[in-house]
Amino acid sequence: MALLQDELKIRKIHELLHMKLTLPSYQRPYSWSVKSANTLFQDTYNAYHEGLQEYRIGSVILHKENEKYNIVDGQQRLTTLSILLYCLGEKNLGLLQEKYNQLSNDVIVANYEILAKRISELPKDEQNKYKEYLFERCSVVQIVTDSEQEAFQFFDSQNSRGKELAPHDLLKSYHLREMNDEEEDQKIRIINQWENVNQDDLNDLFKIYLYPLTQWYKGKSGLGYSSSKIDVFKGIKTTNVFNYAIYHKASNLFVEQFNANGSNELLASRALNQFQLTQPLMAGKRFFLLYSTL
């Protein structure tokens, strides 16, 4: 994988948060708990109080697109840092001007309230010194590539080791990336529907039911579902031009058109079932359509 020249580096928080950071539509909502936000404050404040020369706050993966940097991994930490610095008087950080959905906004407000309370407990002079420490002494490992695909290969390789995202979160990001031709409001609607489902239930749906079913009919074991096995649910890319892919794309298109134009009514039948668990699905929108019907 090819990184941009000089774009694998240690970056100070001050430098990073003043870049043109953006939240692409495939990002999951901001969801850090009050406990996690408070832990970030406590860890960085302790590092400041102990006089550590540098405090490393994980890594971020960015996809450079023209003059902006899409956050592929690290959104939760960077948003929380932006909230913390906002509480310390830094009002001009671009990340907080991004369009978060309502779920994210509610969490941002909750974390702002706890962080503002913690900051208010510090003397004003202490607040200024702590803010300077965050900007100049705290840092992250920054990975930047101008290829979205490569950025997600880094992302998948990190998260497939079980560090942050559940398998269904990785699938959501993958299929949203395949919806390049869809309208932005449709992407947002799909994200909201997906995130409004209980995430433990989603995890159980894939682990206990769907993954075993996709394996048992092949005579294989359905145990041990994890992030390393999500390829089963990635489906066929719309850009795939191999014969088997064209066949499945054509059959999906026929069923969609058959139901949409009312042909089922002429035949006095119910709408045709568009999905079979023993058939590959189309990557992108149809992934979400399938699991919204289950």
Side-chain angles (χ1 to χ4, degrees):
M1 289 179 281
L3 296 173
L4 292 178
Q5 185 177 7
D6 199 34
E7 291 293 6
L8 175 57
K9 61 166 59 174
I10 307 300
R11 178 79 76 173
K12 292 180 180 179
I13 294 301
H14 179 268
E15 298 171 330
L16 181 62
L17 290 182
H18 283 92
M19 294 166 61
K20 292 183 179 179
L21 301 174
T22 62
L23 293 176
S25 59
Y26 50 73
Q27 269 292 1
R28 59 176 172 160
Y30 174 67
S31 59
W32 259 24
S33 65
V34 167
K35 180 179 179 181
S36 295
N38 189 58
T39 298
L40 179 66
F41 162 76
Q42 197 64 56
D43 288 347
T44 53
Y45 182 73
N46 287 342
Y48 153 72
H49 205 261
E50 293 169 9
L52 296 182
Q53 288 300 302
E54 182 180 17
Y55 184 79
R56 189 72 48 78
I57 310 177
S59 63
V60 296
I61 301 174
L62 306 174
H63 164 224
K64 187 175 183 182
E65 188 176 24
N66 298 322
E67 297 302 316
K68 66 180 182 179
Y69 294 85
N70 295 320
I71 301 174
V72 177
D73 191 32
Q75 178 218 163
Q76 306 291 319
R77 289 187 303 277
L78 295 183
T79 299
T80 306
L81 279 168
S82 296
I83 298 169
L84 178 56
L85 286 160
Y86 185 91
C87 295
L88 287 163
E90 189 65 28
K91 310 297 186 183
N92 297 318
L93 296 176
L95 189 54
L96 292 182
Q97 307 303 317
E98 287 290 293
K99 292 182 179 180
Y100 292 86
N101 64 21
Q102 189 58 50
L103 289 172
S104 298
N105 287 335
D106 292 344
V107 179
I108 287 173
V109 170
N111 285 339
Y112 166 77
E113 290 175 351
I114 185 62
L115 293 175
K117 183 177 184 298
R118 297 304 305 271
I119 294 302
S120 68
E121 296 168 353
L122 304 177
K124 188 63 178 178
D125 183 57
E126 186 84 345
Q127 292 181 26
N128 292 333
K129 291 179 179 178
Y130 173 50
K131 175 183 174 182
E132 182 180 358
Y133 183 86
L134 287 172
F135 267 150
E136 300 298 336
R137 298 294 181 180
C138 292
S139 61
V140 298
V141 177
Q142 171 191 283
I143 300 171
V144 179
T145 175
D146 59 0
S147 165
E148 184 178 60
Q149 186 61 39
E150 289 181 355
F152 273 96
Q153 287 175 10
F154 281 109
F155 172 77
D156 289 341
S157 67
Q158 287 205 33
N159 288 290
S160 64
R161 294 193 292 271
K163 290 186 176 181
E164 293 185 12
L165 297 186
H168 59 269
D169 282 319
L170 293 169
L171 284 169
K172 184 200 77 171
S173 295
Y174 175 83
H175 286 285
L176 280 171
R177 299 201 303 273
E178 296 300 316
M179 292 176 61
N180 293 329
D181 297 331
E182 302 293 337
E183 296 293 332
E184 196 67 20
D185 60 346
Q186 182 168 0
K187 292 183 182 180
I188 293 172
R189 178 179 57 79
I190 285 174
I191 292 171
N192 287 337
Q193 288 178 342
W194 183 265
E195 295 297 337
N196 281 329
V197 176
N198 183 289
Q199 298 299 292
D200 289 335
D201 290 344
L202 267 180
N203 184 64
D204 290 344
L205 175 66
F206 283 93
K207 181 177 181 180
I208 299 175
Y209 301 103
L210 299 180
Y211 180 73
L213 285 173
T214 64
Q215 301 305 297
W216 289 341
Y217 88 91
K218 300 176 184 177
K220 298 180 180 180
S221 171
L223 301 178
Y225 178 64
S226 66
S227 297
S228 65
K229 298 180 179 180
I230 63 173
D231 285 357
V232 173
F233 301 108
K234 287 187 174 181
I236 298 174
K237 288 177 175 286
T238 56
T239 55
N240 192 320
V241 295
F242 290 109
N243 288 338
Y244 84 95
I246 292 175
Y247 169 81
H248 286 293
K249 287 192 289 184
S251 64
N252 277 282
L253 181 61
F254 170 77
V255 173
E256 281 189 354
Q257 293 177 343
F258 180 88
N259 290 333
N261 65 21
S263 295
N264 60 303
E265 296 177 7
L266 292 175
L267 297 178
S269 68
R270 292 185 298 179
L272 294 180
N273 183 354
Q274 300 184 51
F275 305 107
Q276 301 290 330
L277 290 177
T278 56
Q279 292 180 325
L281 74 150
M282 297 300 105
K285 178 179 67 175
R286 293 184 63 80
F287 169 82
F288 298 102
L289 290 177
L290 167 59
Y291 296 114
S292 66
T293 64
L294 297 175

